[in-house]
Every structure is written in structure tokens, then in C-alpha cells.
Amino acid sequence: MPEPESNPAVQQIEAHLLVVENDFRARFAAASTYENLMTERARVLGKEGSFTEVLRLMGSVPAERKREFGERINAFRAQVETAYADRVKALSSSLPQ
């Protein structure tokens, strides 16, 4: 069994990513208009968004762990962008022709 993480910044990042990941998919799915979806995307990736909070914590991550967390954060951002694009397609396909 792995040892519990002792660095508070790493613990915060891991906890925050878990919460944001569980939350953004439901918020994107619940967005019924493009405007709602843009608002939800901003809540995650925007200047004051929950993902931006994670980026701020990266400065406190030990140097030997920065690459690992950088890769995880980049992968997470890609997941958000993909989910956003998929929802945009779904919303546009539901518009009357």
C-alpha cells in the first residue's frame, strides 16, 4: 500500500482535482444552452475557475513531483476541453434545422 502523501500542496491538488473532475462532467451535461455551457466552462477553466486554483498550488509542489503533476493537470485540462467540445456538438445537433 502506498504511503500517504505528506506534502500539503500535493494533497490539496489531488483532492481538488478529484472534486473538480466529479463536478464538471455533471455541470456540462446539465447545461441546456450554449451560454450555460460557456458559463460552466469558465467556472472550471476561467481566470477565477476551480482549475486555476489547482495551477496556483503548483508552486508549492516539490520539484521532483512537478513533472508528474504537470502531466496530470495537462491531461485533466484536455479532458475538460474534450467534454466541452462534445457537449457543444450535442447542443448544436439538437437545434432545429
Side-chain angles (χ1 to χ4, degrees):
M1 194 159 106
E3 287 184 38
E5 182 56 55
S6 61
N7 183 287
V10 170
Q11 290 175 342
Q12 284 183 297
I13 289 172
E14 289 176 340
H16 204 72
L17 281 175
L18 183 61
V19 168
V20 174
E21 186 171 14
N22 289 333
D23 192 48
F24 88 87
R25 292 182 192 281
R27 289 178 174 271
F28 283 10
S32 59
T33 66
Y34 180 68
E35 290 77 18
N36 293 138
L37 182 60
M38 287 187 341
T39 299
E40 295 305 331
R41 181 181 179 274
R43 287 184 179 155
V44 177
L45 297 179
K47 187 175 181 180
E48 300 297 322
S50 51
F51 181 75
T52 305
E53 293 175 33
V54 172
L55 294 177
R56 289 184 187 118
L57 293 171
M58 279 296 290
S60 302
V61 173
E64 66 273 4
R65 305 281 311 268
K66 283 191 189 274
R67 181 180 178 142
E68 169 194 350
F69 276 90
E71 289 172 356
R72 284 179 63 189
I73 287 170
N74 288 337
F76 177 77
R77 182 192 307 257
Q79 287 177 16
V80 173
E81 292 293 0
T82 299
Y84 174 78
D86 290 347
R87 187 66 180 140
V88 167
K89 287 178 191 172
L91 288 172
S92 64
S93 69
S94 68
L95 294 175
Q97 298 290 323

